[in-house]
Amino acid sequence: MFGLNILRQLSGRTLATTANACAGQRLMSTGRNPPSTGDDSEASGAQSGDVASENRMQFANSLTSMIHNMGSSVVGRAVPVTNGNPASAYGRLNRILTENNVRRELFLRKRYEKPKYKRQRLRRESHARLFKEEVRRKVHLVMNMRNWGM
């Protein structure tokens, strides 16, 4: 949803600005040991691997901080419970699922739908949408005519 916008915003940034953006943020673990800061005489290949790992961690941290700072109260699959009221959170979750047609998709994917019947269903839904839009426009026109005194 908002992942593409974040990647578009990051595409104009350089690695240095990405590193500065994630300063003070908690580092994400990549499963490797952190790069050493001592005067060890490691091979240059190992050092470049550590630098690449550090760059990946900085990018992941900046991406995570941008997601959390988007101003959205819903991140990923979490819906926050505010004021200790789970009923409102449940209502918000239901509204999100309904708007994104998640239940309908799950219902349609319970069984395999042959391509012929899928085309027919999509065509039927398209005609229903067009009909609904036309009825909406006609009702709007009648209401405007009534306001005009006709």
Side-chain angles (χ1 to χ4, degrees):
M1 205 169 0
F2 51 81
L4 292 176
N5 291 334
I6 292 171
L7 291 177
R8 285 184 190 134
Q9 290 173 0
L10 282 177
S11 64
R13 292 183 170 194
T14 63
L15 187 59
T17 57
T18 306
N20 291 337
C22 71
Q25 295 291 326
R26 183 178 65 87
L27 291 177
M28 295 176 65
S29 173
T30 59
R32 288 186 171 184
N33 293 333
S36 62
T37 57
D39 291 299
D40 299 335
S41 58
E42 296 178 353
S44 63
Q47 288 177 352
S48 66
D50 290 340
V51 170
S53 173
E54 185 65 29
N55 291 342
R56 280 195 303 272
M57 286 193 330
Q58 288 175 352
F59 177 75
N61 290 332
S62 66
L63 190 61
T64 303
S65 66
M66 288 185 73
I67 288 172
H68 288 295
N69 294 332
M70 289 295 289
S72 174
S73 62
V74 179
V75 176
R77 298 179 184 203
V79 177
V81 177
T82 56
N83 300 329
N85 189 1
S88 67
Y90 184 70
R92 256 193 320 273
L93 177 64
N94 279 332
R95 189 170 54 249
I96 290 169
L97 293 177
T98 303
E99 288 173 359
N100 294 330
N101 294 325
V102 173
R103 288 194 184 95
R104 187 166 186 276
E105 285 290 324
L106 287 174
F107 176 76
L108 288 174
R109 291 177 189 229
K110 279 183 184 177
R111 302 266 190 252
Y112 175 73
E113 187 176 19
K114 288 187 175 180
K116 172 187 173 182
Y117 298 118
K118 184 175 183 179
R119 282 192 302 269
Q120 289 176 352
R121 177 180 56 83
L122 292 174
R123 192 177 307 125
R124 191 170 52 244
E125 290 172 357
S126 173
H127 288 303
R129 273 193 309 274
L130 292 173
F131 182 76
K132 182 180 176 181
E133 177 64 25
E134 188 64 30
V135 168
R136 189 192 65 75
R137 277 195 279 147
K138 292 293 183 185
V139 168
H140 187 67
L141 177 65
V142 168
M143 296 301 284
N144 281 340
M145 289 174 70
R146 185 179 289 175
N147 289 337
W148 295 333
M150 299 178 113

